[in-house]
Amino acid sequence: MSSNNNQPVLEDVSVIVAGQGGDGSLTVITMLAELFRHSGLNVYTERDVLSRIRGGHAAATMRAFTGEKYCIGSNITLLLALDQEAVEKNAWQLDSKSIVVYDDSGGPVPPDLLPEGIRLYAAPFNRIAMRTMRRELYKNSIAFGVVGRLLGLEDESIRETFTKRFQRMGQVILEYNLEALGLGLHLADEMGIHEGEGLYRIEHATPEERLLIIGNESVAFGFMAAGGRFFTGYPITPSSEVLETLQKWLPRCGGVARQTEDELAAINMAIGASLTGTRTMVATSGPGFSLMQEGIGHSGSAEVPMVIVDCQRSGPSTGMPTKPEQSDLNLMVFGGHGDFPRIVLTPGHPEDCFYLAAQATNLADKYQCPVYIAMDQAISQNIATVKPFDLDGLAVETGKRLEKEDLEKLDAYKRYELTEDNISPFAAPGTPGGMSLVTGNEHDEWGLVSTDPENRIRMMNKRMDKIELARNELPRARHFGDPDGEIGFIGTGMLFGVILEAIEILDNDGLKAQYLQPRTIWPVLEDILEFIDKCSRVYVVELNAQAQLAHLLIHQGADSGKLLNILRYDGIPFRPGELVKRVFEEESRFMDNQKREAKAQ
Amino acid sequence: MTTQPHTKTFTPSRPIWCAGCGDFAVKGVLEKSLQNMGVAPHNLMLLAGIGCSGTIQNNIECYGYHALHGRVLPAAIGAKLANPDLTVVAAGGDGDGYAIGAGHLVHTFKSNPSITYIVMNNSNYGLTKGQASPTSPTGYRDNAEEGMDAIMLGLSLPSTTFLARGFSGNPEQLEKLMDAALEHTGSGKGFAFLEVLSPCVTYYDTHRDWRARVYNLDEDEGFDPSNRTLAFGRVLELREEGRIPIGRIYKGEHASLESLIVNRDELPPAQQKIGKNGHGKHYEKFIKSYLG
Ligand code: SF4
């Protein structure tokens, strides 16, 4: 094998594979991710699919890099386009430095589709697959040979990854795929792309120990690690992996994960389990989340601990099920009828999902109220390398629990006893001496229904004040960038990685910026308001049409004159470069306004 | 049946039902049956729905829970799966169970958890002043629809294991049915469904009508409750004759939900100790599978 030392060392590469749904774009991307990870790089992948099993445009993107990054980058290195639509739909992400590998079985790429000067490699993968192997689906493995060579991967390591992946599906499938890969490597030779002569040189490093995981799986593990033992859900994109992960793992440690007949059953079954003192969670998205509202309000009023994972997707109604959005914020913070306490946490990366899920599980138990984990489709489903979770550092705190011996020492046990910290001790069913009534009706300390006005005020205040008490221990925001930076950014969920990279680009362009990533959005903590005070203006970046987060911050005392909105609700995730472009547009508009105002005075 | 001598817990309140309401008989019989079956109050979780009948948990010494309208079954199933050692009894009315909660009834028949479900059927909405319910006959307050029979619904699902109907006007038989239901769930055989004809004296007094129309299958020598086909045919026949079948209508066998999904090699969810190592010995294995 020849090696050309003039090639740059691979430090940051982004690859898109696009075609029709069912073409296997995701399989190619997942295998590429595995390959790069074995070479010691970190990875992040994203998928863009229609909510259909087959058909319709589908794309998956992978970024491999050294160091820490939490999103797909601004520059796409290579697009593997399995048809013409794949080029049409993804051309916006390409620039003159990008490379396109195109399946020209159906004809050449129309000349004006691609940016000027782009490097194009065309080969009829589909035709070769049909002619030689009689099955269209082998086109991926053929194309893999060409793409792998271009990216500087070694033939042998590609073969190894193929073996690992396809062995599970049986010897025959493995052999066919290896044969197809061989055809691809041969084709690469014919195209003049020889082994070791790709675009990059991959410097092999011993991979640091990393999990390759999606946010939905991390959330499931965080819950389990904090003693979560009961889960219910109804399949819905993009939250189903929480259900699937827990169905697989929870029973092994004595827990129960159950798919119910609908979301009403899911939340109410979870409430029933929580009543027994079991740590309980539900996960859902959009329409299912709306259905759960009554149950969540009930958990607030009856003081039943509950963790609710909301994997936000484009709404309203059925919306765009596979697209990320952050438009359920209002429903999480203000939803449900009547007044009840709730806490809303929001992770920015699959790693954060683990820790916040564990914390949410503790908080729900301690404060006996609903605790949300606000995810978005990208956080839920994008695969990322994350550091192994720190189990030793994990705090598992039990709530105020009374066992038989504790009860024996008491004169009386009242489920809703008024206490100094507003939290009433809990005795689980089955414990002698702890008989009690739990209800969402307004009740007295015994749990007996009451409409007495004074009791009502006491009980309402007791419930609502728990949140004030919780404030001190809620997850704080994380600060990044130049603390003296003039402009600030606030954004949650998948925007974490994007903003982080955008402020680097801005810094290189001479604009000093800082970023605050809130991890608790309800209640709104001081840290966010102080950050806004400190900046001269703050861009609140959100994936929704109504600027829900900005409005929430203003509602909680932020200076509305300082907040500028950057909103997106087309279902497409931001790339850092695009965000920077939007910021410069806003900045020049802002400057013009300033000038105009100065003149007017 | 003893409670902790020293700790005072809530005092069961007096029922709020109208004098003469059928629900009184249900409460009396339930208390008696719990005693007959030796269920200690601290092991009893009594969950009730919304409606007149949905206040019964306030009147009995227990761990009581007042569910959302129509959601008593999922809540009861959640409690049972989290702690299979509890005696879980769900109670509610025909509106709660057959209208707003009908979907859950079908799925509870289907999944067969070992919980007892008592439906106090009064064929109207008493709490909201007498509107038509799913079991109201055609013509009641301009009701255009046919009343439904939940027992026949239960018979149509192959996983049902216990279907019975009692009558508040026949408390002796009701007690036998209630004992049998608690026995069925207590021995982990699955879902015990017990509908009780429980007249609403205030808005729709069916007492005399029902007394005249009930047909006691327990006294019918030719009837065999272990034969689903026979049971279905007989119930249908009696319905067509304008009679209401009561008694043990069906008893069959099917694995209970908790026996299928709760891992008995470990402590059940509610009995596990939560602490620093609450994640248990399995956790490292889970993480390993993601290290690749
Ligand atoms: S309204 Fe009817 S069902 Fe309700 S308590 Fe009175 S008699 Fe019983």
Side-chain angles (χ1 to χ4, degrees):
Chain A
M1 143 188 153
S2 64
S3 174
N4 181 346
N5 281 333
N6 294 332
Q7 299 147 317
V9 172
L10 189 147
E11 282 178 352
D12 187 0
V13 65
S14 292
V15 179
I16 306 179
V17 179
Q20 293 302 302
D23 268 355
S25 307
L26 201 58
T27 313
V28 176
I29 281 299
T30 311
M31 283 202 293
L32 279 175
E34 279 169 23
L35 267 159
F36 281 111
R37 198 161 73 96
H38 283 293
S39 310
L41 291 142
N42 284 321
V43 298
Y44 186 92
T45 74
E46 181 184 281
R47 57 176 164 184
D48 173 14
V49 291
L50 284 175
S51 187
R52 290 196 232 163
I53 314 296
R54 263 198 84 88
H57 174 76
T61 309
M62 182 229 51
R63 184 184 195 185
F65 45 85
T66 54
E68 306 290 336
K69 298 182 196 311
Y70 306 95
C71 63
I72 297 295
S74 308
N75 305 308
I76 297 301
T77 318
L78 187 148
L79 164 68
L80 169 60
L82 295 167
D83 61 13
Q84 186 179 317
E85 196 186 354
V87 180
E88 284 163 11
K89 286 262 160 67
N90 295 289
W92 66 275
Q93 307 201 63
L94 305 174
D95 57 36
S96 59
K97 290 198 284 295
S98 310
I99 294 170
V100 175
V101 176
Y102 182 68
D103 187 338
D104 64 359
S105 305
V109 196
D112 44 350
L113 267 183
L114 290 170
E116 196 99 358
I118 208 160
R119 254 190 292 173
L120 177 70
Y121 293 90
F125 303 120
N126 197 349
R127 214 179 320 137
I128 299 172
M130 289 303 288
R131 199 178 53 212
T132 321
M133 315 215 36
R134 307 259 167 251
R135 294 285 297 277
E136 185 186 337
L137 65 99
Y138 293 109
K139 67 181 173 188
N140 283 332
S141 296
I142 301 172
F144 205 102
V146 175
V147 170
R149 284 273 181 89
L150 279 169
L151 293 171
L153 295 164
E154 287 162 13
D155 292 1
E156 194 43 46
S157 53
I158 301 179
R159 263 188 219 108
E160 264 170 40
T161 300
F162 264 61
T163 308
K164 237 178 91 184
R165 179 153 196 108
F166 292 111
Q167 214 149 37
R168 283 178 249 151
M169 303 173 195
Q171 196 58 27
V172 180
I173 292 183
L174 170 64
E175 272 163 27
Y176 280 138
N177 276 290
L178 284 175
E179 188 187 333
L181 173 65
L183 287 173
L185 294 171
H186 180 71
L187 183 65
D189 283 332
E190 280 177 0
M191 293 163 83
I193 317 161
H194 301 289
E195 188 176 16
E197 293 175 8
L199 309 163
Y200 299 102
R201 192 151 48 84
I202 297 173
E203 266 192 0
H204 286 269
T206 323
E208 284 173 89
E209 210 178 39
R210 287 282 191 273
L211 310 174
L212 198 55
I213 205 163
I214 63 172
N216 281 347
E217 291 163 337
S218 299
V219 140
F221 284 136
F223 167 66
M224 234 162 52
R229 287 296 176 269
F230 195 94
F231 177 87
T232 45
Y234 179 81
I236 183 167
T237 304
S239 85
S240 302
E241 295 86 359
V242 185
L243 172 65
E244 287 157 10
T245 307
L246 287 169
Q247 275 183 321
K248 183 168 172 201
W249 296 110
L250 208 44
R252 302 187 198 189
C253 46
V256 169
R258 177 133 180 89
Q259 179 180 324
T260 53
E261 61 269 29
D262 55 32
E263 283 91 351
L264 303 174
I267 184 71
N268 286 284
M269 205 173 283
I271 287 171
S274 186
L275 288 171
T276 68
T278 305
R279 294 187 161 204
T280 299
M281 181 168 92
V282 294
T284 187
S285 179
F289 180 44
S290 290
L291 287 178
M292 286 188 182
Q293 281 304 305
E294 189 191 19
I296 295 167
H298 176 76
S299 114
S301 140
E303 305 198 51
V304 183
M306 187 60 56
V307 179
I308 307 110
V309 182
D310 178 20
C311 307
Q312 298 172 85
R313 65 187 216 186
S314 287
S317 183
T318 324
M320 301 192 285
T322 56
K323 305 292 179 187
E325 214 164 79
Q326 299 168 339
S327 50
D328 296 350
L329 188 60
N330 284 344
L331 193 54
M332 281 184 258
V333 173
F334 300 115
H337 60 279
D339 302 307
F340 63 90
R342 81 276 312 265
I343 292 168
V344 185
L345 309 183
T346 175
H349 186 255
E351 188 179 342
D352 213 12
C353 292
F354 174 86
Y355 296 104
L356 287 190
Q359 210 164 345
T361 309
N362 283 331
L363 288 166
D365 203 2
K366 181 161 178 189
Y367 294 100
Q368 303 178 7
C369 71
V371 179
Y372 286 110
I373 304 173
M375 315 262 280
D376 55 49
Q377 179 274 333
I379 289 289
S380 284
Q381 295 187 312
N382 290 351
I383 306 168
T385 33
V386 310
K387 292 193 198 87
F389 305 129
D390 171 19
L391 290 181
D392 296 330
L394 199 71
V396 179
E397 300 151 42
T398 42
K400 270 200 205 173
R401 261 307 257 280
L402 296 175
E403 304 300 338
K404 180 168 174 271
E405 306 73 51
D406 308 315
L407 285 160
E408 277 166 3
K409 289 185 209 120
L410 296 178
D411 294 332
Y413 169 62
K414 302 172 182 170
R415 173 65 194 94
Y416 296 109
E417 186 173 56
L418 293 163
T419 62
E420 206 135 292
D421 61 5
N422 296 312
I423 299 166
S424 315
F426 168 79
T431 317
M435 283 74 73
S436 55
L437 294 173
V438 173
T439 175
N441 277 65
E442 192 54 273
H443 44 258
D444 63 15
E445 289 181 275
W446 298 104
L448 286 160
V449 173
S450 164
T451 54
D452 175 68
E454 277 167 26
N455 174 73
R456 163 68 171 182
I457 291 169
R458 275 197 302 270
M459 284 296 168
M460 179 60 81
N461 293 351
K462 162 202 197 301
R463 291 189 294 266
M464 297 309 287
D465 288 351
K466 288 192 292 188
I467 297 306
E468 289 314 305
L469 183 74
R471 264 179 193 272
N472 292 330
E473 63 169 307
L474 296 177
R476 291 300 185 256
R478 287 180 176 149
H479 183 274
F480 303 90
D482 186 342
D484 298 321
E486 197 188 347
I487 66 167
F489 285 90
I490 288 176
T492 63
M494 70 151 310
L495 293 167
F496 162 68
V498 178
I499 298 175
L500 213 53
E501 220 159 304
I503 62 172
E504 264 176 47
I505 304 173
L506 287 168
D507 190 58
N508 288 337
D509 289 346
L511 189 57
K512 297 260 172 273
Q514 47 184 321
Y515 167 42
L516 195 80
Q517 180 218 350
R519 295 168 76 233
T520 300
I521 40 180
W522 188 263
V524 172
L525 303 178
E526 304 312 313
D527 51 10
I528 308 184
L529 301 176
E530 281 163 14
F531 174 80
I532 296 170
D533 273 347
K534 203 173 70 168
C535 300
S536 79
R537 56 193 174 278
V538 175
Y539 287 98
V540 185
V541 191
E542 301 185 52
L543 302 183
N544 64 60
Q546 294 186 106
Q548 297 187 14
L549 180 57
H551 284 299
L552 178 64
L553 297 176
I554 292 165
H555 172 265
Q556 290 296 299
D559 176 357
S560 63
K562 279 190 172 185
L563 301 187
L564 296 152
N565 298 320
I566 294 185
L567 305 176
R568 181 156 202 175
Y569 42 90
D570 57 1
I572 300 173
F574 266 120
R575 300 280 182 252
E578 284 178 288
L579 179 58
V580 167
K581 232 172 84 196
R582 286 278 291 270
V583 171
F584 278 124
E585 283 165 22
E586 292 293 329
E587 281 289 284
S588 65
R589 202 170 305 150
F590 179 79
M591 294 305 169
D592 288 350
N593 279 346
Q594 296 280 90
K595 269 187 231 148
R596 214 171 306 135
E597 271 169 34
K599 240 187 244 160
Q601 272 167 13
Chain B
M1 263 191 22
T2 53
T3 55
Q4 280 311 112
H6 306 301
T7 322
K8 179 178 156 39
T9 61
F10 79 95
T11 312
S13 58
R14 286 233 303 275
I16 55 164
W17 301 313
C18 313
C21 175
D23 294 354
F24 282 102
V26 180
K27 174 193 169 267
V29 168
L30 175 61
E31 277 176 315
K32 230 163 142 229
S33 281
L34 288 165
Q35 211 155 15
N36 295 346
M37 307 312 292
V39 179
H42 69 267
N43 283 327
L44 171 65
M45 217 173 145
L46 178 54
L47 305 94
I50 303 281
C52 293
S53 55
T55 53
I56 193 167
Q57 79 286 10
N58 297 329
N59 314 134
I60 291 177
E61 213 184 355
C62 65
Y63 276 92
Y65 170 66
H66 192 202
L68 286 172
H69 195 20
R71 313 298 162 215
V72 71
L73 284 174
I77 295 169
K80 184 70 188 179
L81 294 178
N83 195 352
D85 296 347
L86 295 172
T87 297
V88 177
V89 177
D94 51 315
D96 195 69
Y98 306 161
I100 191 167
H104 304 311
L105 179 60
V106 172
H107 286 273
T108 310
F109 281 144
K110 187 169 166 288
S111 62
N112 199 37
S114 297
I115 59 172
T116 296
Y117 182 33
I118 305 163
V119 177
M120 287 162 253
N121 176 4
N122 60 10
S123 290
N124 83 114
Y125 284 83
L127 189 71
T128 49
K129 301 197 192 315
Q131 297 87 345
S133 84
T135 51
S136 300
T138 319
Y140 170 73
R141 288 207 180 183
D142 298 331
N143 180 29
E145 299 165 29
E146 198 75 54
M148 69 173 272
D149 185 332
I151 299 259
M152 286 182 73
L153 179 67
L155 281 168
S156 74
L157 283 128
S159 46
T160 42
T161 50
F162 185 104
L163 302 165
R165 182 182 283 121
F167 176 36
S168 66
N170 187 350
E172 296 76 30
Q173 182 194 26
L174 184 57
E175 190 179 323
K176 285 196 197 106
L177 297 173
M178 193 80 82
D179 283 357
L182 289 173
E183 203 286 315
H184 188 77
T185 56
S187 49
K189 291 180 181 148
F191 185 44
F193 178 70
L194 176 59
E195 183 185 282
V196 185
L197 300 170
S198 177
C200 167
V201 293
T202 304
Y203 293 106
Y204 183 27
D205 194 351
T206 50
H207 193 89
R208 286 167 94 192
D209 176 46
W210 283 352
R211 169 144 335 266
R213 287 169 56 207
V214 290
Y215 181 93
N216 193 344
L217 283 169
D218 289 345
E219 291 168 354
D220 185 335
E221 303 240 312
F223 185 72
D224 173 10
S226 69
N227 184 334
R228 192 186 289 272
T229 317
L230 181 70
F232 198 89
R234 199 72 185 98
V235 170
L236 192 61
E237 238 168 56
L238 288 164
R239 278 283 174 194
E240 277 166 2
E241 289 163 15
R243 307 297 299 267
I244 310 169
I246 56 171
R248 279 210 214 192
I249 293 172
Y250 181 69
K251 188 161 161 63
E253 274 178 31
H254 191 279
S256 69
L257 178 64
E258 73 279 5
S259 74
L260 294 173
I261 70 167
V262 178
N263 173 3
R264 279 309 206 153
D265 293 338
E266 303 282 336
L267 283 171
Q271 293 172 26
Q272 293 196 13
K273 284 273 165 285
I274 300 307
K276 189 92 184 75
N277 288 314
H279 47 79
K281 53 190 184 291
H282 302 279
Y283 189 70
E284 295 297 325
K285 252 191 270 166
F286 306 156
I287 288 304
K288 277 219 182 78
S289 74
Y290 286 86
L291 283 169

